[in-house]
Amino acid sequence: SELRHGSRPVTEEKNEAFVQGGFFMRALEKKIYDYLEAHREDIVADLAALARAESPTGDKAAADACARLLASLYKDRLGAATQFVPQTEVGDHLVTEIGSGDRTLLIVGHYDTVHPLGTVPVHREGDVLYGPGVVDMKGGDISVIWALKALQELGVKLDKKVLIVNNSDEETGSFHSRPLLLEKAKEAYACIVAEPAVAKSGLIKVSRKGGGQILIKCWGKAAHSGNDPRGGVNANIELAHQILFAESRSDYGPGGSTFSANVIRGGTADNVVCDYAEAVVDWRMCVPEEVERGRAVFAGRGAVLPGARVEFEIKLSHPPLAEREANRKLFALLQQVGADLDMELEASPMVGGCSDGNDISAAGVPTIDGMGVVGDFMHNPQEQVYLDQLVPRVAMMASFISRV
């Protein structure tokens, strides 16, 4: 036969592959796929249950209840014990180990969501499941569990320890969990981030912009805006100058940084010249070198209006997940996995959102991101996951875990 998937004809692996739907699957991948297809509704049920355990980042009680459910899934599906890492302000983080070996594969997921309690109901319409976190990223959490379960049930012995960290504060920057993530990353030779694939297209995320915030603080002088408008110094006007300056330093080309003032506050009353105003500027950068350039943009920057004063508080939330040779090698291996599952996997151009993969890759651990489920409308009341793509994605995860 000349039937091909990718560049390899069926006849090259006729003793190890099965013709299926006009293409071939390798023997192990076919077993994985068939096992997961037989348990498709079980996977959907687990995802729906985890989504119903709502877990907004700021609600510790709700998040902890979700963490307990997730831990019970690790125990019931995999026979694995989960360590709770207690937190005071956010939900407890989870650390779960599967298998053993001299090498450690780190898998990272988060279980917190952005939706307030009770605002996004879980429901299904055909092959689409709606609900809080079904894509971002409880779908990825469930994918990891069922990928490992498939390997266990099929008797695939792993040559490594799989260390899974589920944190509770990724949606607000992972400030509480980052020390834990970076500590566990020291053990790892590679990292899988089970964040969702690119919406609709299913592209894998091999690079991400870094992100930070710049707080612009402006002081002026209060005065009666009717009796003595010239006696004051309007901090709102000073802030406007500084916002325009920041925006003017955006470079929208490849490798550049962008500065977007998205939150503005100023003034106390409509008849008082504003004496204090501030803005929060979202800062995104594509390459590590842009971090220092971004800081330098505001170094020594002074006030524009006579009598005004300005300060800039600059905070880097996540460094860029930049193109690295080690990361590209992981993606090349993933493409081989895809070929053996009759999946054509492509890498996405750099995406704008950050994840925990940014920090782990920057720490020197080869990292591949966007390994979770496919859907749409992240951070939106219509958040949804495509169930017809669920089994292929979980099979991809399982095969990759077994090979990496």
Side-chain angles (χ1 to χ4, degrees):
S1 172
E2 290 302 317
L3 295 176
R4 295 175 179 268
H5 183 79
S7 61
R8 296 187 298 172
V10 171
T11 52
E12 289 185 11
E13 295 193 12
K14 62 184 179 182
N15 294 325
E16 300 179 19
F18 294 84
V19 175
Q20 179 167 312
F23 297 103
F24 79 90
M25 282 192 182
R26 286 186 52 178
L28 176 59
E29 279 63 38
K30 184 177 189 301
K31 290 178 182 178
I32 292 171
Y33 191 97
D34 288 347
Y35 174 85
L36 293 169
E37 183 61 36
H39 291 277
R40 182 175 186 263
E41 291 305 314
D42 298 322
I43 302 171
V44 175
D46 281 354
L47 175 52
L50 193 61
R52 290 191 183 97
E54 297 181 69
S55 48
T57 312
D59 190 322
K60 177 168 173 58
D64 282 343
C66 180
R68 289 192 292 274
L69 174 59
L70 185 55
S72 72
L73 289 173
Y74 282 120
K75 182 177 181 181
D76 295 343
R77 302 292 177 262
L78 300 171
T82 295
Q83 173 193 355
F84 288 83
V85 182
Q87 302 295 302
T88 56
E89 299 180 34
V90 296
D92 295 342
H93 309 314
L94 307 182
V95 179
T96 309
E97 291 186 11
I98 306 292
S100 61
D102 296 332
R103 304 185 307 154
T104 298
L105 172 64
L106 177 64
I107 301 180
V108 173
H110 68 86
Y111 67 85
D112 60 319
T113 64
V114 301
H115 308 286
L117 287 177
T119 60
V120 180
V122 178
H123 66 286
R124 180 174 178 176
E125 297 178 12
D127 271 341
V128 179
L129 181 68
Y130 298 82
V134 291
V135 168
D136 186 20
M137 65 164 287
K138 293 179 178 180
D141 297 330
I142 294 298
S143 293
V144 171
I145 291 173
W146 276 91
L148 288 165
K149 182 172 176 60
L151 295 176
Q152 278 190 356
E153 294 294 323
L154 294 171
V156 179
K157 184 172 178 58
L158 298 177
D159 61 349
K160 78 229 5 146
K161 177 174 71 175
V162 178
L163 182 64
I164 310 164
V165 178
N166 297 103
N167 61 336
S168 65
D169 64 337
E170 192 274 344
E171 296 293 3
T172 55
S174 301
F175 298 111
H176 299 274
S177 59
R178 186 167 299 144
L180 171 67
L181 290 166
L182 294 180
E183 182 63 29
K184 297 303 182 184
K186 292 177 182 178
E187 307 176 30
Y189 68 90
C191 176
I192 296 171
V193 182
E195 287 277 0
V198 174
K200 295 183 180 178
S201 69
L203 298 179
I204 303 297
K205 299 171 182 177
V206 297
S207 60
R208 290 179 178 270
K209 291 182 180 180
Q213 297 81 39
I214 300 167
L215 176 62
I216 306 176
K217 302 164 72 173
C218 297
W219 288 267
K221 179 182 176 183
H224 194 290
S225 59
N227 292 332
D228 189 21
R230 292 185 175 180
V233 178
N234 196 320
N236 281 332
I237 302 300
E238 178 61 38
L239 181 61
H241 283 291
Q242 299 299 339
I243 288 172
L244 291 173
F245 170 78
E247 293 272 357
S248 73
R249 294 305 184 269
S250 292
D251 178 359
Y252 297 97
S257 296
T258 58
F259 304 94
S260 304
N262 298 326
V263 178
I264 300 173
R265 311 179 188 92
T268 56
D270 60 2
N271 61 351
V272 178
V273 174
C274 172
D275 64 350
Y276 178 76
E278 65 180 30
V280 181
V281 176
D282 181 80
W283 172 32
R284 303 284 164 153
M285 73 292 298
C286 297
V287 294
E289 294 77 16
E290 282 292 292
V291 173
E292 289 309 312
R293 192 190 78 82
R295 295 182 188 277
V297 164
F298 301 94
R301 170 74 179 173
V304 174
L305 300 181
R309 182 165 62 89
V310 63
E311 287 184 5
F312 301 91
E313 293 183 3
I314 301 175
K315 178 174 64 177
L316 178 68
S317 300
H318 298 281
L321 200 172
E323 292 274 358
R324 300 178 188 273
E325 180 62 26
N327 295 348
R328 286 193 289 270
K329 288 181 178 178
L330 287 182
F331 180 68
L333 175 60
L334 182 64
Q335 285 186 306
Q336 295 175 24
V337 167
D340 291 338
L341 282 164
D342 291 332
M343 299 170 64
E344 295 184 4
L345 299 176
E346 297 181 18
S348 166
M350 177 171 275
V351 295
C354 302
S355 84
D356 293 318
N358 290 57
D359 302 277
I360 294 168
S361 177
V365 180
T367 301
I368 190 162
D369 205 333
M371 288 281 288
V373 295
V374 184
D376 202 359
F377 295 103
M378 292 187 298
H379 295 200
N380 182 292
Q382 291 299 309
E383 183 171 352
Q384 57 193 254
V385 63
Y386 303 149
L387 300 180
D388 60 341
Q389 297 189 46
L390 188 58
V391 167
R393 289 284 158 160
V394 181
M396 177 192 77
M397 178 77 76
S399 180
F400 188 74
I401 289 172
S402 73
R403 295 199 212 183
V404 69

